[in-house]
Every structure is written in C-alpha cells, then in structure tokens.
Amino acid sequence: MKLWKLLLWCLVWMCACTHSDDYAIRSTRVDLDEDSSHDGLIYVHAKDAYVTLGAKGATAIFNEKPKMGVRFDYDFSLGKHEVTLGEFRKYTSENWGFFADAIGDSLPVTDLTYYDAILYANARSKAEGYDTAYTYTSAQINVDGRCSGMEALVFSPEVDAYRLPTEAEWMLVASQDWDVEKAWTMENAMSRVHNVCSIGENRDGFCDMAGNAMEWMNDWLGFYKDTVVFDYAGGPDGALSGTRVVKGGGFTTPKEYTNFHSRGDTYDVVSNTHSVYVGFRLAFGRIPNAMWLSNDGVSVEDRLIPKISVRAIRSLVGTIRSKLVFRNELTRNLAFVDYSYAPQMAIEIKDTLNCFHPDISPDGSLVAFSTGSEGIDGPSSVYVRQLAVNGDSLVKLDVKNAAIPRWRVTEDGDTVIVYVTNAGDNTSDGNFKSWSTWQVPFSNYHFGTPEKLFDGAYHGGISYDNRLAVSGARRLRARIADSDSSSTVMDGSALDTIWYNEEQACNASLAKDSSKRTLFLDFASKTGEEFVGQSYSRHEYILIADSTGKLIHSVAAPKGYTFDHTEWALGGYMTVKSRYQPFIVTSLTTNNGAHEKIALVNLLDSSVTDLIEGTEVWHPSFWVEKGSLIDDERLNELDRDSAAVYYEGVDSKLIASKMNVFWNKCDYLKVVALGSSRMSLGFISNRISYGASFNMATIPSDMDVSRYFAVNYALNHCKKLKFLVVGIDMDLWGEVPGENISQNLGSVPGLFYDAHHNFWVEEGHELLKKLSSRYIQESSHLRFISQKNGWMEYDDDTRSWREGIALVADSTWSDNSNFIKNAISQLTEIIEKANEKGVSVLGVIFPQSPYYKKTGSFGRHGMRRSHALKTIEMLRDMEKDYSNFYLLDENLMGDHDYGDSLAYDYDHLNSKGAYQVTARIDTVLNKIGGK
C-alpha cells in the first residue's frame, strides 16, 4: 500500500473510533465531477474511499448497530436528485398506470415499489444501449399498474448499467455535505412532496439527500458487523423478512429523525411496498467485487441465486409442491429452495456438520445426509433433520460407519433409510465385498434397529421390487436377483456383477420408478463413445442403462459445461408426461472445474433447465410431491397449487402468512382479533384468559379488510366463536374502498381459491385444515406464528412515542364524510353478521403518541381531531343501538396512561405496551362474557 494511503487509512480509522457517538467524521472526502456520459448523474471518485455505516447509542435501533466501516475499490455515478415524474415518463410506458394522472414533471416519482424502480433502471439502460443490471423471468403488474412481484429476479453487480445505489454508496455521498436544515421534512413540507432541488443544492451539487422523498436502496436489509468490509452490497438475500433498505427520510419524517443511519420506515419495507413518500435516485456503474454480509456476520462473495420462477417450475414438473436441496461446498452446509413458500430464495441451514449426498424424504419434510462422500474411504455418519430454515430435530444414526443415505418406502408401507458402511473406491472386489449395505426404519424422528441387507456397498439405490441394486465409485456394479420371480437382492443367490465393460464410472443412481434404469457418468470411455457416436470429455454425457446394464439413452451437457453429482428426481406428478420419471437433477461444472449451477435434465427432449447458480453447488436432490402420499383421497380433487397455498415467500402479505394457522385452529377459537399493525403488535393471543384466541390482524388494513375476513372466514368457520375484537383505526379510514383488500389478496393463490369456492361454507374446511397442518410442520415461520397464535411480537424498548410527530397524510381527508360513512357501514355489517351468529364485537381504539394533541390531527395518518371526536360519539351511539357491540377507547384522544416505555413508535405499542392493552381487553371480554 502506498504511504499516503496508509496514513489516510490510519487517520480515518482513528477518527471512526474516537468519534463513535457524534460522527464528526463519517467518511473520507471524495472528488466529484459532472458525468457527461449519463445525464443528471454526478461521477463519484470513490476508489480507496471509506465510510462508516450504522450508529451507536440509545437512539439507534437493533438493525442500525454496530458501526461498520466500508471501503471502496471502485468508482460510480449517482443521480443529482431523485428521479422525477418527467424522467420516469421518458423511459417508461404510458400504460404504467400508477403515475398516469400525476402532475408536475419536476416532482420526485413516488408511491412505487422496488420492482417499479428497477424496471425503470432497466428501461433507461436499454434506451442508452447498455446491458441491464437486473434480470427476471416474469413481472406481475397489479390492477393499479404497479409491479408487485418478479420471478427469478437476479441483480448482477458486475454489469455496467443503471441501477439503484447501494446503502454504502448513498452514505458515502450523503455524508459529504449533510444538511437537514436544507430538507423538506415534516416541519416544513406541508405533508406533500416538492419539486427536486427546490430547497437548494448542497455544496457538491446533490439535492434532497435528506428529506423530500425517502429513497429505495438496492440492498436487502442485512445486519452490520463491527469490522471493516470492502464494496459492501447489503445482505445476500432477503432472509426470512424480505426487508429492503430505504434511506434519507421523507416529507413525513421529523427533522430530528432525518439522519444518516436510519435504514427503514415505520413498517418493514419489502419489495412490493409502496408509499407516497418513497421514491428513488439512480446510480450507474459496476461493482467488480461486490461483497454481501449474512445476518450471522459472515462475508459472502458469492450468492446462491435461484434461476427459475414458480411458473416455470409448475410448467416443467406439474406443480409448485417441489423442493431442491444441495450442498454449498464453500460453507459445507446444506441449502434448499422450497418452491411452495420461498421461490426467490435459497435458504442455507447453518451448521458445523460436513454435509454430503442429501436425500429428501418421500413426504418432502425431512432430509437425510452423510458426512462422508462417494469415492472417499473413511469414517462417515448419517443424520436426518427437518428440511426447514433451522434444520430442527437433528438426529444421528448410532452406528460405527454410515454413508450415502437413500430413503425408501417398503412394500409394507414403512419408511426406511438404506445406507452403506463405506462409499470408497469399489475397484477392488475385496474392498467392495468387505463393506455392506444396510437398512434402518425411521419414524417420528427416531431411527429403529439397523438390518444388514447384503455384502457390498450398493449406494446407488435398490429397485422398488427389490430385484436390482447398483453402485458406482470407479466401477458400475450391480446386484441382480436370481431369475426366480420370488427372489430378491437380499437373497444369497443374487448375482454380483460389473456392468459397462468394467470401464470407469461414477454417480450411479437407480430410477425411483418401476423402470429399473440406472444413470451414471463416465470418463470418456470407449463403450460410451461407441454408443454416443463421437468422442467426448469426462462427464460430458449422462448415460442411462436398462435393467440388464445395456445403454439405452444419453444426454449431452450444455456447451461449456460437464455434469457431476447426477441423481434421479423424485415425484409422482412427473409421470403425467411420461410412463416413467423423465427428470434428472445434476450439478453443471465449468471447464475450470467450478460447480456453478444445478439443473434439471428432461429426458423427453434432452433440455437442461437451470435451477440455482452459485460458486460451488454440489450434490443436489430434487423432490416433487406424489399424489399417492396424501392419505385423504379427497385432497387429490383440490388444486394443490392453490388450495391452502397462502404463504409464498418474503413478499407475502401478513394475512397470507396467518391463514394456514387459522385453518389449523379455527375449530376451537373463542376470540378472533382483526385490524391493522396496531392490533397485530398489540394483541397477545396467548394472554387472553377468556378462551382460545387468534390474532388475524394484517397490513395494510382498514375496516373493509376487517369486514372481509370477519364475514368470510371467522364467522363462517369458528363454530365456538364468542368475540370479534376489531381495531377501530379511524385514521386509516381515508382509503379508496377495496384498495387494501386488493393489496392483501395480492397474488396469493389460496385466497383467490377460497373466494371461488364460496369460502368453503358448503364444503367445510377439513381438507384445508389437513393441508395447512402439513404446511405448518414444514415451515418454521408458520410454526412461529402458530406458537404465538398470530401475535407479531416486537420487543424493542429503545424507542418511544417520539415528540417529533410523524404525519403521513393531510388530516383534511376526513372533510370527505363518505370515507367515514363507508367505514361505519363496514363495521355495522360486522356487528350485524356477528349478531346473527350470537357473537359479540369489541371495538378497540389503540393508543397513539400523546403529542398528537399538539396538532390538528387525530393520528399519524390524519383525520381532523374534531372529526375523530364526532366519530367516537357515533361509535358510542352504536353501543346503544347494538346489544352485541362494545367500545374500548385506550387512546382517549391522547390522554391515555401508556408512557414512552410502552411505545414502539408514533402509533404502535411495544411488547410491554401489548401486555397492558391485552390485559384490559381480556378484562372486558371476561366481564361481557360472564353475562
């Protein structure tokens, strides 16, 4: 390192340490120039620059700590200001509906999703002759014109193109001349966005880094680490929350909370979130050596990138009820993709075990694996664990040595695992026959008593009829039952032989159907070249032999790749297109030996479809649900890609993630809570002593949403229901009727399927309960919701009501009395429908910041205080008119007894506050229920 760089680095590091709390120095100074090649952007000479992310102290929340240093090895360009409506229209279609009626070309374009922002970036890249930084297979455009989802979305940092800035890039620029006094914030913005640069440029030529519109970053929200990293690009994926980073504050943010380190909004921001105060600015330039930081603090220079969409999986194998599991060679961990729940993300099971040859159980819920690999002579153990985020219920087979486990279902219907005592080089007859093949029952997370099947390490599989076993680790060996129809490979009369002219072979796998086909790879052997009709390189062809060892099929690898780790894919749906299962899952290896991809090979047309991409992805196993595994034949009449399919990944609405749990519990619920995020965070179902309770609150919500789920679900299916607890969130009533219903339904297939079946009023919900029970067991996220009975706990005591009040909407919307009338009408329908079922309704007004008393607004989302008082009077009159309606006002127009220690933010309680309001709700329920 040059001397001046070393001295600069030491100075920056000392400043970062000595100014840990006030951040007098957050970054090095960088040179800036107008970017003549990219209109509206400024060139940032960032190479060798340094910036500090994060904060320290009582004001910083959990995802803003600890401080982390970032150094840059590259330059980039950044927009002078947020993208305007005029610029947005220039590069996008006029049919992009959500901005069509917006007026003011110099206003920042806002109220758009992350997907909308990157579509714009791609559009400008294409218009100017560049490649695109973002690729995807399909985009979903909602009825309002916004893009709500993208399948198989991939960000390629190495591409020179327009894109969203990383958090580190934005922070480096913002820290050069941060001045919140020259910003449109809550104090001066009058609850609206303003023309860009209308409050002045900073000394570097940038506008509105602080305030006006909050800005989308490119990054997934990842946790910081107390260290220094290079070329930071955020989290490697969305983890479980799917949260994105937004920066800079907006016109609704108080000045005192418009700062460097804030990374989010009041609610979690996911890719399909959109808000009137959130826009974006563009960056340009590649990040040559982007580095991501996982939530456990591990630096990740490579990512596991899904390459296929849900729709493509369904088209290929017949259903989304499918899973892929594989070994990440870099970490030695198992990773998996569940195409039913999280199609956009590969989830790694963090562990210290060295995991080889994973095999998914017949029901798709478990994975078996070994710590030893094929061709390696040495100790190995077999384990089984849940195929879920944390890989729970890990159990070990207690034997001296076990390798390459394979699941089987016996003729008696028992689930067993077949394994071998050694998977080493089988060239020597002596070595091979000194090893053996075993079988062990497995049920309820317990291994039974192992049973030896025969001598010889046949780890390639045993046929369903028990008449053939194969193995490949240098030689393609087969064990064949005697010609007597009653004989099996377990008999002493079975013949051990070597196929493929005793030439070298490996990766043998016996078909899991009745065909007794064996696939394998070779080393450019003479026999293979004669069958294919040309010479080729090692592992360039998948070869398939019939039950006698005769070659019957071959598939060439894609250009530039060879095969490795080939296995038959399991699945009953695959037989729809063919008498036999036509799919093989395999690693694809580059010319330099890197296992870069995992793919599905279709034997019907020899096509190869990429599933996942990474630096080193090994040993795949692919599972598709078999209809015969469903114990209730009536379930086969349902569309398994729609029925009870609610939780589909990180962008799913909150209500969708609760629906499976609702079906699982609805038969015995006495209390169901409905409402917004205030109810979701504030109602602790497990603390209700009156009876079994469930928190069904969602985001976004208004009274129309509560009516939809009360009338169509709770009142129809909760036969023991006594109370609906409904959030009276009056400040959320200024919505266009049906808008929040549309957002909650989104593209969730299960909710549409329910509506098309009249919400199962006639048919009943027993089948959905069966499916939901199984889905809950497969998903740690759903199990968490089940354990909490829908309560979304947020335990953060570092925040308060905040004296600086946030106003998201102009309070004058309540001048239009139709909004209030519509909400009261929806509430009335809930009350009347509940009365028909003998159910009472308790309306709850949750506390908000007492400082709203200083404003003319009832709460964060507006409504004149005078209108709120009149509305509360109307609600009190409804108590008199309806004998089954009761009102619990815990806000009291701000004169409540919920102190700062009970608040999460302006209008939400933390867990301590939730305990207090839940206790009061419970008291009322018991008092009324006692009548």
Side-chain angles (χ1 to χ4, degrees), residues 613-650:
E613 182 178 314
T615 300
E616 287 289 343
V617 284
W618 289 26
H619 293 175
S621 174
F622 191 84
W623 169 90
V624 177
E625 184 177 67
K626 295 179 68 175
S628 60
L629 295 175
I630 305 171
D631 57 4
D632 190 330
E633 287 300 321
R634 294 175 300 165
L635 292 177
N636 295 319
E637 300 173 5
L638 301 178
D639 180 353
R640 295 302 308 285
D641 289 335
S642 297
V645 177
Y646 303 108
Y647 178 60
E648 286 201 297
V650 295

Side-chain angles (χ1 to χ4, degrees), residues 660-823:
N660 290 119
V661 181
F662 171 78
W663 288 127
N664 196 247
K665 296 176 180 282
C666 65
D667 287 335
Y668 55 85
L669 293 177
K670 283 191 172 184
V671 181
V672 172
L674 298 158
S676 70
S677 56
R678 296 168 196 160
M679 181 73 77
S680 183
L681 294 175
F683 183 82
I684 309 176
S685 312
N686 293 339
R687 301 288 292 186
I688 296 296
S689 65
Y690 176 78
S693 304
F694 188 70
N695 187 328
M696 210 172 180
T698 186
I699 305 171
S701 184
D702 55 13
M703 196 54 69
D704 196 20
V705 175
S706 294
R707 179 207 60 80
Y708 187 89
F709 289 99
V711 171
N712 294 319
Y713 289 100
L715 292 173
N716 276 337
H717 295 283
C718 300
K719 303 306 181 185
K720 295 184 178 180
L721 189 66
K722 296 298 182 185
F723 279 99
L724 289 172
V725 180
V726 180
I728 307 295
D729 304 302
M730 295 179 291
D731 53 331
L732 298 176
W733 290 356
E735 299 281 353
V736 176
E739 183 172 300
N740 283 336
I741 287 292
S742 175
Q743 289 193 56
N744 272 284
L745 294 178
S747 58
V748 181
L751 294 175
F752 284 103
Y753 199 65
D754 294 344
H756 289 142
H757 287 78
N758 193 28
F759 301 98
W760 311 98
V761 173
E762 293 84 12
E763 298 174 67
H765 60 263
E766 285 304 311
L767 297 182
L768 295 180
K769 181 177 180 180
K770 274 186 173 257
L771 288 177
S772 294
S773 271
R774 181 169 171 185
Y775 297 167
I776 292 169
Q777 291 303 313
E778 294 176 1
S779 167
S780 59
H781 176 75
L782 297 183
R783 287 201 306 277
F784 174 81
I785 292 175
S786 181
Q787 292 162 5
K788 297 284 186 178
N789 280 303
W791 177 45
M792 306 305 289
E793 180 178 8
Y794 210 123
D795 189 10
D796 184 355
D797 58 5
T798 65
R799 310 178 103 176
S800 67
W801 288 123
R802 300 182 175 186
E803 186 168 355
I805 301 303
L807 293 174
V808 176
D810 193 327
S811 61
T812 60
W813 65 257
S814 59
D815 292 348
N816 182 347
S817 61
N818 287 331
F819 286 120
I820 300 174
K821 288 179 181 178
N822 177 68

Side-chain angles (χ1 to χ4, degrees), residues 6 659 821 901:
L6 180 61
M659 283 302 302
K821 288 179 181 178
S901 65

Side-chain angles (χ1 to χ4, degrees), residues 189-232:
M190 297 173 289
S191 299
R192 63 180 177 84
V193 72
H194 292 257
N195 287 342
V196 298
C197 300
S198 59
I199 204 167
E201 297 179 7
N202 66 22
R203 67 187 180 193
D204 296 316
F206 289 99
C207 305
D208 301 321
M209 295 296 287
N212 209 13
M214 194 177 287
E215 300 176 21
W216 284 108
M217 297 294 104
N218 193 65
D219 302 8
W220 292 110
L221 181 68
F223 291 155
Y224 297 144
K225 186 178 181 181
D226 185 12
T227 187
V228 177
V229 299
F230 283 80
D231 302 340
Y232 177 62

Side-chain angles (χ1 to χ4, degrees), residues 15-256:
C15 291
C17 294
T18 56
H19 296 276
S20 59
D21 293 319
D22 58 9
Y23 285 88
I25 298 178
R26 294 193 62 99
S27 66
T28 53
R29 289 294 301 170
V30 295
D31 293 329
L32 304 167
D33 295 310
E34 289 289 335
D35 189 340
S36 58
S37 300
H38 306 102
D39 185 46
L41 274 66
I42 296 176
Y43 191 83
V44 183
H45 296 270
K47 186 173 176 58
D48 296 320
Y50 171 91
V51 66
T52 302
L53 308 188
K56 182 180 181 181
T59 60
I61 64 174
F62 73 99
N63 63 28
E64 298 167 356
K65 297 186 268 190
K67 296 179 301 176
M68 183 173 78
V70 177
R71 293 196 66 193
F72 291 82
D73 270 341
Y74 65 96
D75 300 331
F76 62 92
S77 296
L78 186 69
K80 175 178 179 179
H81 52 69
E82 296 140 350
V83 172
T84 65
L85 277 163
E87 291 169 330
F88 200 78
R89 289 189 175 101
K90 179 179 178 181
Y91 291 104
T92 55
S93 166
E94 293 182 359
N95 296 324
W96 213 332
F98 70 89
F99 74 92
D101 298 327
I103 299 173
D105 281 353
S106 294
L107 290 174
V109 60
T110 61
D111 205 20
L112 78 175
T113 69
Y114 172 89
Y115 300 121
D116 293 319
I118 65 173
L119 282 174
Y120 172 81
N122 275 3
R124 183 165 175 182
S125 291
K126 292 176 182 177
E128 297 184 12
Y130 297 104
D131 197 357
T132 60
Y134 307 95
T135 58
Y136 56 93
T137 56
S138 65
Q140 291 79 55
I141 306 299
N142 278 352
V143 292
D144 61 4
R146 294 180 181 85
C147 183
S148 62
M150 287 180 169
E151 294 188 333
L153 173 63
V154 176
F155 166 59
S156 300
E158 69 280 0
V159 175
D160 231 13
Y162 288 100
R163 55 178 172 80
L164 294 180
T166 68
E167 182 182 18
E169 292 169 346
W170 188 95
M171 286 282 287
L172 178 67
V173 172
S175 63
Q176 301 297 300
D177 186 22
W178 181 264
D179 190 356
V180 75
E181 298 301 325
K182 296 179 181 179
W184 293 115
T185 62
M186 190 202 72
E187 288 80 4
N188 63 354
M190 297 173 289
S191 299
R192 63 180 177 84
V193 72
H194 292 257
N195 287 342
V196 298
C197 300
S198 59
I199 204 167
E201 297 179 7
N202 66 22
R203 67 187 180 193
D204 296 316
F206 289 99
C207 305
D208 301 321
M209 295 296 287
N212 209 13
M214 194 177 287
E215 300 176 21
W216 284 108
M217 297 294 104
N218 193 65
D219 302 8
W220 292 110
L221 181 68
F223 291 155
Y224 297 144
K225 186 178 181 181
D226 185 12
T227 187
V228 177
V229 299
F230 283 80
D231 302 340
Y232 177 62
D237 53 48
L240 292 181
S241 65
T243 309
R244 294 282 183 182
V245 177
V246 289
K247 301 289 288 186
F251 64 83
T252 66
T253 310
K255 184 186 298 183
E256 65 175 307

